[in-house]
Amino acid sequence: MGNGCLGKEKPEEEEQEDEKIMREASATQEKREIDPANMFRVCKEKDFNNNESKLVHCKGREVVVWKRSGEYYSLDNGCYHHGAALLNGDIEDMGGKQCVVCPWHGYRITLKDGEGLYWGLGEDLKKRTIRSKGVKQRAHTVVVSNEDVFVDINTDPEPLDSDHYSCSGNTVDKGHQQGERPDTTIRLVKKEPVSQSGKTVKYTFKYTDPISSNFDGCPGQAALIDIPELGQQRRWTVVEKNEEGLTIIVKTKLDGVASNWLRTSLKIGQTLILREISDGFGFTNIPAPMGVEITLISGGVGITPMLAILNHCLTGAVPDISCINHFHCDRGEEDLILPELLEAFQENYPGVFQLHLYLTRPPMPWAHESGRITPSAILSHCPTPRHTYVCGPTGFYEGIQRGLVGAGYPRAMIHNESFVA
């Protein structure tokens, strides 16, 4: 029997086992050298059911391991965008690639290699096509050996976006960190549709504990909210916030479990759990010089942080803003969110607020613009660089940014909060 010493050949059965391990590892990722020091046991193979996922803590890093149709995959747990736990995400096929869907913002990430995918527009600007952001999420190798499942942590020194949220317990929706403000309960006091279709609803909550009146965060940022009945967490933009509570606006998606539950099942008086208000598009956290013009550009439900910014600026909180150009695009008139509020802003602040409203499927007659927002249309009203805030689907934001940067806008003056439509 060989003892594995230098100069000795491995026994045939050991070579076969090595080949089996490497073959199974390469089924989920490109083959790379396996380092035993970075191997962590997940569980017995018989205890890992098909279409199941497991969370593994490895050297201060959180990773998820999935088993799909007999194949194993592993990624960092914290989504590269804002740290949502991918353990809670759904799995869907996108162009023949299995992807985990971020439970907060809908970002699609391939299970095999952590590539970020999104739906963009083709060269004709009409047909949707799948586009790649490149590898964003760190992927790890899964090995099955002697009926045990192991994950081999990818220690490549090249940094990836997911590293911040998955190292040292930084995954955001694990709850508050030690020393931070504890969770608080919020009670629904008002619920009203804010679009003709009724699919978009405004929810007003009050804090149940007076100590919560100083809850950190600002309008335009995102509230991380627990829904105990669903066992899920979601982030929604804070449109209004004061010492008594906060308001969010949520568009109901056809396949959106949480958004449908809010609209159909959440009753006045019911409570949810507010974890934190952070990240997102908090205007007061973005340094914009006062006494200058700013531009807001939004698509669809991306208008929600813009409403927060408008309330913040036009009600006197930022008195030195001299002019706000707001470009907004939606599909049809029935999809517009609080159009009467935008028109009231325009009527009440004629020297400050200028609204440019676009519909891709306008009714007839229609008093505003038709089609999509283009960089040339923005530049016709805002020819000189100014701080510009963009919120909408990823392809929408990227097209706007390319056009403005190409026209001479410094990239640092373009702030964004993108999401997957």
Side-chain angles (χ1 to χ4, degrees):
M1 294 288 288
N3 58 10
C5 295
L6 291 175
K8 301 267 186 157
E9 291 186 356
K10 288 185 178 181
E12 182 178 352
E13 59 269 22
E14 287 187 20
E15 290 182 348
Q16 291 176 345
E17 180 64 21
D18 288 348
E19 290 175 1
K20 178 184 177 183
I21 290 174
M22 293 304 297
R23 185 171 59 252
E24 291 171 345
S26 64
T28 59
Q29 285 187 274
E30 294 297 324
K31 187 182 297 184
R32 61 182 177 83
E33 186 176 350
I34 301 298
D35 184 356
N38 292 319
M39 296 276 284
F40 292 84
R41 184 177 180 275
V42 180
C43 65
K44 283 287 186 184
E45 187 177 16
K46 65 181 179 63
D47 296 327
F48 208 139
N49 299 321
N50 204 32
N51 299 325
E52 186 180 14
S53 59
K54 293 183 181 295
L55 182 65
V56 186
H57 297 271
C58 315
K59 284 187 176 179
R61 192 179 200 97
E62 284 191 351
V63 304
V64 187
V65 179
W66 290 271
K67 185 177 183 180
R68 305 289 299 179
S69 301
E71 297 288 340
Y72 291 94
Y73 306 89
S74 181
L75 297 173
D76 281 349
N77 184 37
C79 176
Y80 70 88
H81 181 222
H82 275 156
L86 296 183
L87 178 71
N88 300 325
D90 296 328
I91 306 297
E92 68 175 38
D93 180 271
M94 192 170 183
K97 296 182 178 182
Q98 288 197 80
C99 297
V100 58
V101 182
C102 169
W104 289 352
H105 299 105
Y107 279 59
R108 272 74 169 175
I109 304 167
T110 61
L111 293 181
K112 181 178 179 182
D113 52 22
E115 182 183 14
L117 301 182
Y118 68 96
W119 286 105
L121 292 177
E123 293 183 359
D124 58 2
L125 299 181
K126 294 180 180 179
K127 185 177 180 180
R128 293 208 311 168
T129 183
I130 295 175
R131 291 186 174 177
S132 172
K133 301 178 183 179
V135 175
K136 296 287 189 178
Q137 197 79 15
R138 189 171 293 275
H140 310 282
T141 302
V142 180
V143 177
V144 179
S145 178
N146 296 324
E147 300 182 346
D148 283 325
V149 180
F150 296 88
V151 60
D152 177 39
I153 298 301
N154 178 359
T155 57
D156 191 315
E158 185 70 23
L160 288 175
D161 292 4
S162 67
D163 291 343
H164 169 72
Y165 292 109
S166 294
C167 289
S168 302
N170 286 339
T171 305
V172 173
D173 63 357
K174 285 172 57 181
H176 60 277
Q177 300 296 318
Q178 185 175 1
E180 292 185 354
R181 182 182 299 278
D183 306 332
T184 191
T185 303
I186 52 176
R187 176 175 288 106
L188 182 68
V189 296
K190 193 173 184 179
K191 178 178 178 180
E192 55 185 324
V194 290
S195 66
Q196 289 184 13
S197 67
K199 294 179 181 179
T200 306
V201 181
K202 180 179 179 181
Y203 302 88
T204 301
F205 295 91
K206 286 192 179 297
Y207 303 125
T208 59
D209 186 344
I211 197 173
S212 301
S213 62
N214 294 320
F215 207 89
D216 296 334
C218 64
Q221 291 190 292
L224 175 59
I225 297 176
D226 266 1
I227 306 176
E229 289 196 25
L230 298 181
Q232 295 185 6
Q233 292 180 328
R234 289 293 186 273
R235 274 188 189 272
W236 288 295
T237 299
V238 178
V239 178
E240 300 171 6
K241 178 180 177 292
N242 55 37
E243 66 278 1
E244 295 184 349
L246 56 87
T247 297
I248 61 174
I249 291 178
V250 180
K251 183 176 181 179
T252 308
K253 296 182 179 180
L254 183 63
D255 57 349
V257 175
S259 60
N260 275 284
W261 183 87
L262 286 181
R263 187 164 71 94
T264 61
S265 301
L266 183 63
K267 308 299 182 185
I268 300 297
Q270 279 187 261
T271 59
L272 301 177
I273 299 172
L274 175 63
R275 294 286 189 186
E276 65 177 10
I277 302 175
S278 64
D279 296 320
F281 209 9
F283 177 71
T284 57
N285 284 357
I286 300 174
M290 298 298 97
V292 298
E293 298 182 352
I294 64 171
T295 301
L296 311 179
I297 306 170
S298 54
V301 75
I303 196 174
T304 52
M306 305 309 177
L307 293 175
I309 290 174
L310 289 171
N311 277 321
H312 187 71
C313 292
L314 297 177
T315 57
V318 188
D320 295 328
I321 292 290
S322 60
C323 182
I324 302 174
N325 277 277
H326 182 194
F327 298 81
H328 177 71
C329 183
D330 231 313
R331 290 193 179 93
E333 190 174 21
E334 70 279 3
D335 299 307
L336 290 173
I337 298 173
L338 292 174
E340 67 280 359
L341 179 60
L342 296 176
E343 291 172 355
F345 282 151
Q346 184 162 254
E347 180 179 349
N348 295 332
Y349 305 94
V352 177
F353 181 65
Q354 298 179 27
L355 176 64
H356 313 279
L357 198 55
Y358 289 73
L359 290 182
T360 57
R361 302 172 187 170
M364 292 299 173
W366 172 243
H368 299 276
E369 305 291 339
S370 301
R372 302 181 185 276
I373 300 171
T374 62
S376 60
I378 297 167
L379 293 167
S380 67
H381 295 277
C382 311
T384 57
R386 65 204 63 193
H387 281 271
T388 300
Y389 304 85
V390 189
C391 188
T394 302
F396 171 85
Y397 160 70
E398 291 181 344
I400 295 295
Q401 178 180 256
R402 280 195 302 269
L404 294 182
V405 170
Y409 270 59
R411 192 178 298 269
M413 296 185 76
I414 304 173
H415 316 281
N416 85 292
E417 170 66 11
S418 58
F419 58 84
V420 177

